[in-house]
Each structure stands twice: as structure tokens, then as C-alpha cells.
Amino acid sequence: EILLTQSPGTLSLSPGERATLSCRASQSVSSSFLAWYQQKPGQALRLLIYGASTRATGIPDRFSGSGSGTDFTLTISRLEPEDFAVYHCQQYGSSPRTFGQGTKVEVK
Amino acid sequence: EVQLLESGGGLVQPGGSLRLSCAASGFTFSNYAMNWVRQAPGKGLEWVSGISGSDGSTSYADSVKGRFTISRDNSKNTLSLQMNSLRAEDTAVYYCAKDWSGFFLNWFDTWGQGTLVTVSS
């Protein structure tokens, strides 16, 4: 099973700043089959990115994904108030599908 | 609008059973694989089980194999998870999640809001 490690655990930033979240896999993720999700309290999780870099429908272009192999990054170019949340990465290239432990982006 | 609504969570004693349901709407349910994903308190997400949309084939995480059974009723647009021999470590919020296609090994494009299962005496 592929283990995903997200860093940092918590990111303290101010609105307008740039957020860079990392997701590292214990082995290569085939065909860049990596997704990112946003989780807010009391709301359903939202798909942000799939295929490592393709934004899901309706996702603002301030969200971008990059990476391949074992190292992936989610970047939020300028944080909006609604972006403060927990972000999860997930690999779906091999079974079982696995998730990272999450990165919380909080207001500084 | 695509929607998933879970129900059936609650407090159950160790060794007990519980059945979760997920009501789907806004899409052709039978065309898509469906899954259960859980999140223990303060922990990350864990895929639990999935069922394909095409032939109804199933898959389970090792942690629940032999204890949980996933099923679907395409006539009622409903996904279910029968959980037996529950353990304290099964305590979590359980989410219903829709696969992008009818088959496994895709991303989840829609999630429900979850239902809490607490296993405790």
C-alpha cells in the first residue's frame, strides 16, 4: 500500500498570502493519479484537483496542482477567507486507494 | 445537483452491528462506482469499501474485510454498508463517496456530509 505523507501538518498564513502544501508518496504514483480535496467543518469534502494538476469543475484558478512520481504540491496563489480549511491528498493509481493525513491551513 | 445523504450512524457496543445507508440523487446511480470512506476522530481519511457500477464487484480494506459488507440497490439509488463485529477502532465519521466512473481506481468527485459511528460500551 502506498503511504502518503503531507507537510506541514498546519500552515498559518494570512489572507492574500501564498500557500504551498506538500504530499510525498512512499513509492511512485502511477500516471500521476493523485487528487486533492478540501474539507471544511460541517460540509461535504470537495474535489479540487485530479490527475495531479487538473482542476475540477468550478474550482477557482488560484488553486493549482503539480508534481509527479513521489512528490506532489498543491498551491493556493492568494488565500481567500473561504480557503482556510483542511486539505487532503489521495492516490488512486494502486489499490487500496490511500490518503495523506491532511494539512490544516489556518488564519495567522 | 448531485447529492449524497448518509444515515444510520449511532452508538453501538463492541461486537455489535450497524447498517449505514447513502441516498443518491442528481445522477444515474447505476453508472458509477460508489464507496465508503471513514475518518476517525483527529485522523486522516481511510477508504473502507467500494462497489462498481457495472457488475457490482466489491472491494474492501484489509481492516474491515470479513466484517463489513457493501451493497447497492440501483432501483432505489441507495448504497449500504452492513457493519458487523464492530470494534472501538471502527469509531469514525463514515462518508459516502461517488467515483468518477463505473470502475474502481478513480478519484471521488462527490462526497456526502458523513454519519458518525461510535463503538463504545
Side-chain angles (χ1 to χ4, degrees):
Chain A
E1 140 173 352
I2 295 179
L3 178 67
L4 297 180
T5 302
Q6 292 186 241
S7 61
T10 301
L11 199 51
S12 298
L13 295 168
S14 300
E17 290 193 294
R18 182 185 188 90
T20 303
L21 288 67
S22 173
C23 177
R24 180 161 291 178
S26 59
Q27 55 189 280
S28 183
V29 176
S30 61
S31 303
S32 295
F33 284 165
L34 190 110
W36 291 92
Y37 302 90
Q38 179 190 65
Q39 183 177 31
K40 295 182 183 179
Q43 297 186 20
L45 278 88
R46 181 169 70 148
L47 171 69
L48 299 175
I49 301 283
Y50 61 91
S53 61
T54 302
R55 274 189 301 276
T57 302
I59 301 304
D61 59 7
R62 64 180 181 273
F63 290 92
S64 64
S66 63
S68 63
T70 60
D71 289 300
F72 298 88
T73 300
L74 175 70
T75 302
I76 311 171
S77 58
R78 295 171 309 279
L79 282 164
E80 297 288 340
E82 61 269 27
D83 298 336
F84 292 92
V86 178
Y87 294 84
H88 303 271
C89 61
Q90 177 222 356
Q91 69 80 22
Y92 52 93
S94 67
S95 183
R97 287 174 278 188
T98 52
F99 295 85
Q101 80 280 17
T103 290
K104 182 179 182 180
V105 178
E106 66 175 20
V107 178
K108 185 175 181 180
Chain B
E1 181 188 4
V2 176
Q3 286 192 324
L4 301 172
L5 184 61
E6 303 94 338
S7 60
L11 174 64
V12 61
Q13 292 188 338
S17 298
L18 208 57
R19 187 176 182 87
L20 306 183
S21 295
C22 171
S25 60
F27 63 103
T28 304
F29 183 69
S30 59
N31 286 355
Y32 295 92
M34 297 294 297
N35 302 266
W36 290 98
V37 177
R38 68 185 180 184
Q39 185 173 33
K43 302 295 185 182
L45 298 162
E46 178 191 16
W47 172 82
V48 172
S49 181
I51 184 166
S52 72
S54 53
D55 60 4
S57 59
T58 59
S59 182
Y60 298 92
D62 287 345
S63 58
V64 306
K65 201 171 292 184
R67 300 187 299 123
F68 290 10
T69 302
I70 191 172
S71 61
R72 64 191 299 159
D73 185 337
N74 289 338
S75 68
K76 297 182 178 179
N77 291 351
T78 301
L79 176 72
S80 297
L81 185 68
Q82 177 66 42
M83 303 185 295
N84 299 330
S85 303
L86 283 161
R87 307 166 180 166
E89 54 265 35
D90 295 318
T91 294
V93 175
Y94 284 73
Y95 298 98
C96 173
K98 172 182 169 290
D99 241 294
W100 177 76
S101 79
F103 303 96
F104 300 135
L105 288 186
N106 286 290
W107 59 93
F108 305 123
D109 63 6
T110 307
W111 297 68
Q113 294 200 340
T115 187
L116 177 61
V117 172
T118 303
V119 184
S120 175
S121 55

